[in-house]
Amino acid sequence: MPELEDITYSRDECVAAVRGYYDFLSQMYHEGSDVLSPPNGGWPAITQDNLRGLGKTDEVISLLRSLPYIRAPETSVLKLQSAPLCEFADWQQDSHNVSIGASNCEVLKHCSESAMLLEDIPPHVFSLTSGSYDNPVILLDTELGVVYWPECPGKIRCYPTRELVSDDPYDCAAENEAEWRADAAWAIPDFFGFSRTSAGSYTSSP
């Protein structure tokens, strides 16, 4: 298992991991054109002004501005997933909706972080996922370079296809964060490697 102290965060590495995973999903579900790449300078709607209500750090906003996102085609009956039955957030669309008054940051926080967790998630952590109340919350820490899956299904936690991070958050994390950090955690590239395996297995099942 990789030790937490040996893992570092890199924005470029994170963007590459997300891009590689989206390209993989687009080959399975969609056309390559459904992967939306940010323009030069990043997604214009993703700014601290638009998303100030999320209370996130400048690095989180910069990362969200740099990430690709995916557009599910109208004719598809399958939604792209970060893992089986788990929908990714589309932060560029969400930010645009906030900018035109069609949504607000309180709604985004509840959809992405859940009412149970949002008070315990620090500013340098954001959710990769967003959806209804039963959509899993999967969190990326831009200081540690780790992806956390609170309430991760036992089958995944006990038999992961990529090694989990070796760490005891009760020894080093803030008390209100330790529980959600203790469930399942991967280095960012390992999480997306695991997600490829999970998505492939899910779609190939009868």
Side-chain angles (χ1 to χ4, degrees):
M1 287 186 175
E3 298 288 336
L4 180 62
E5 62 186 16
D6 296 328
I7 298 171
T8 58
Y9 167 74
S10 163
R11 188 192 306 171
D12 290 343
E13 183 179 71
C14 183
V15 171
V18 175
R19 161 64 68 176
Y21 181 55
Y22 278 169
D23 287 345
F24 168 77
L25 287 182
S26 69
Q27 293 173 13
M28 298 178 67
Y29 298 111
H30 296 277
E31 300 295 331
S33 59
D34 289 315
V35 178
L36 306 176
S37 297
N40 291 336
W43 297 106
I46 301 181
T47 64
Q48 277 288 13
D49 285 343
N50 283 340
L51 298 181
R52 193 169 305 281
L54 295 181
K56 299 304 180 184
T57 63
D58 289 343
E59 178 55 36
V60 166
I61 299 302
S62 294
L63 175 58
L64 294 179
R65 283 177 61 86
S66 304
L67 288 176
Y69 295 99
I70 200 150
R71 174 182 55 212
E74 296 178 359
T75 56
S76 176
V77 296
L78 292 173
K79 292 184 178 180
L80 280 172
Q81 300 166 336
S82 56
L85 305 179
C86 180
E87 297 175 32
F88 263 128
D90 181 352
W91 285 107
Q92 62 90 21
Q93 184 62 53
D94 288 340
S95 299
H96 172 73
N97 291 342
V98 171
S99 72
I100 63 174
S103 186
N104 59 65
C105 288
E106 183 177 357
V107 170
L108 299 189
K109 283 181 73 71
H110 278 81
C111 289
S112 61
E113 297 180 355
S114 84
M116 292 181 61
L117 293 176
L118 61 86
E119 297 296 335
D120 297 326
I121 296 174
H124 58 274
V125 175
F126 73 95
S127 181
L128 290 167
T129 57
S130 182
S132 60
Y133 72 93
D134 58 347
N135 194 55
V137 175
I138 298 179
L139 303 169
L140 190 150
D141 189 318
T142 62
E143 290 188 353
L144 299 179
V146 172
V147 174
Y148 294 92
W149 188 340
E151 299 184 355
C152 179
K155 183 177 181 180
I156 293 174
R157 187 174 62 252
C158 296
Y159 304 101
T161 58
R162 294 294 179 97
E163 287 189 312
L164 297 172
V165 174
S166 177
D167 175 50
D168 185 354
Y170 289 96
D171 287 340
C172 56
E175 184 177 354
N176 66 323
E177 299 174 20
E179 184 173 356
W180 62 258
R181 290 183 184 273
D183 217 337
W186 294 263
I188 291 171
D190 287 340
F191 170 76
F192 286 100
F194 144 75
S195 296
R196 286 192 188 204
T197 303
S198 297
S201 298
Y202 180 65
T203 54
S204 63
S205 298

